[in-house]
Amino acid sequence: MVKHQPLQVYERQLCLSCLTGIYGCRWKRYQRSHDDTTKWEFLWSLILFFTFSLLLVWFYFWWEAHNDYNEFNWFLYNRSGEWSDGTIPILATTAAGFTYIAFLMILALCHIAVGQQLNLHWLHKIGVSAALLTTAIGFISVNQTWGEEWAVIPISLQATGPFLHLGALVAVTALAWLVAGQVARTEKIRFQVVVLLLYLSVLLGLYMAPLSITSPCIMDHANLTPRPDVIGHQGAPMLAPENTILSFQRALQMNVSGLEADVAISFDGVPFLMRDRTLRRTTDVGKVFPARQLNDASSFNWTDLHSLNAGQWFLKDDPFWTVQSMAQREVMLVGNQTVCSLEQLLRLATLHNHTVVFSLRRPPHRHPCYHSWINDTLEVIRLSGIPQHLVMWTPDWDREQVRQVAPGLQQTSVEKLPPHVLHQQGISSLLLRYSQASPYDIQEFSRSNVSVTLYTVNEPWLFSVLWCSGVSSVSSKAPNILRKVPYPIWLMSPDEYCLIWVAADIISFTVVIGIFVFQNYHIIRWRLSGMHSYNPEQIMLSAAVRRSSRDVNIMKEKLIFSEVSNGVGSAEDLYMENGFDYYNNEGISH
C-alpha cells in the first residue's frame, strides 16, 4: 500500500495543478494557497456568478424564441434590405460564451471544494468582462428593437416551469456537499451561520416554489378541450415559398382547417398576396424591373406582377433550411412559382371548403385604389364564389358598409377588446399574437362566445400550452410540424403534480441531511484518526484552520518529526499521510 502512495499523491497533485492552473495560472505548488480569498477576488467571484446568471437567462431566451426566428430575420431584413439568418451568429456566440463562463463557474466551485484560494487570472477577468458587456448590450438591443419578444419567457415557463424547478432542486441539493464541507472545515461561527442561513433560505424557497408555478397543462385530463384548429399562415412556408399557390396546396395536405395570407392591391385594382412593402425579397423584380425594385409593390399592375418569379428566392435563401431535403421534382415546382392573387386563394379554399383569413394593406395615398380598396376586395370575394361565412374579415375600416354589402362575413378584430365591446360592434372572433392573450383571457372570451385565433404558433411546446389554455385555433407557419402533435406534450392532474412536488422535496431534504451528517462525521473521524499521541503540535495543527498555509505546513513539519521521534512511523509514511512530497519536500515551499 505504501508503494502506491507516491503515485496517488502525484496524481492528486497533478489534478490540483490543472485546477488552479487553468483558473488562475497557478501551476506550481508554491503558488497555491489555502488562505482565505481576498475581498478583491471575492468580488470577481460575484461578478462571475452574475455573468453566468445573465448568460443563462440570455441563453434560455434565445432557446425559447425559436418559435419566432423567422420573424426576427424578417425584422432584420426590413432594417438592412438584405435577407440573412441573423440568429446563427447570435446562437453561436451565446453558446460559446455560456460554455466558457459555465466552465469557469465549475472551476470556481472545485476550488471551494478542495479549499483552494480563489484567484481568477487576469485573462479570464477580461473574458468575463467581455461576456458581461456583450450580454448587457444584447439585452438592451433586444429590449429596444424586439421588446415584445420578452413575453416568450413567462409563456415558456408555463411549459418548462415544473421541470426547471426539479432541475434547480437537484442542482441546489448537490451543492449541499460544498456547503457542508465549508461549514465543517471552518471554525468561524459567524461564517457558518451565514452560509447555512443563505443555503437553507435558497433551499426553502425552492421547496415552496411550486406554489408560484402556474401552467394550463396542470389540469384534469377530462377538462382538456378539443385539439385547436390549425390555420396555414402564408400556407406552409417551410415547404414552399410563402403566399404562393403551391404553399397553400402544401398546407392543405397538412390537414389545416384554414388559410391565412397577406393581401395588397395592385395599381389596376387586383388584390394579390404579398407580405413585404417591396418585391425585392420574394420575387426576381431586381432582374426583370431593376429600376423599380425599390418601388412599393402596389405600384405594379397585375400583368407585371404575374410575370415575376416568386419561387427562386426560396431555393436561394432557404429561409427554413428545408430545400436540401426536397426531391428534384419539388425543386422544379418551387422554382416556377408566380405571384398569387387573392381570387386564386379564395377559389382554392372554396374547392376544399376551408376558412380564409387575410390581413389587407391599404395602398399608398396617391394610389388609384386608395379610396376603393375595401370595395375592390369585397368584389373579388363575391366573384370567387366562396361562402361568406368562410371568410374572416379583419380590416377595421368601414365595417358598417362591409356588413351591408357582405353580411355573412366573420367579423374579426385584430385588437384585443372586452367581450361586451366586441358584441356591440358585431365582432365574433379575434386574431391576436400569441403573447396578447393569457389563459384567463382565452377562457373569458370562450365563455362569451368569442372565438380566438392566435398567431404565429410554430413550436409544439407553444401549441401544447395554448391547447391546454382552451384556444379554438392557431395560425402557424409550421403546419407540417404541428401535424405531429396529436396530444399536448405533457399533461398532469393537480394531484399528480402535488405528489411529484412533495416527493421531490422529501428526497432532497433527506439527501441534504445525509450529506451534512456524513461530512461532519467524516471530518471528525479524519481528525481523530491522526491523533496517535497528544503532543502540542497536533493540538495546534487541529486548531490552525484560520492560519496561513505556510504556518500550517510548518506545524505539519513539526508534527512529523515529533511522531518520528516517538517511533510512530517512518518519515516517508508520515510525509505521505500529511500530503507532503517526501522526495522533493515541496510541501513546505509556499
Side-chain angles (χ1 to χ4, degrees), residues 283-292 300 304 307-309:
T283 71
D284 60 347
V285 65
K287 178 181 178 180
V288 181
F289 304 107
R292 303 172 60 191
F300 292 78
D304 292 341
S307 67
L308 297 175
N309 182 287

Side-chain angles (χ1 to χ4, degrees), residues 136 161 277 488 508:
R277 281 285 179 182
S508 170

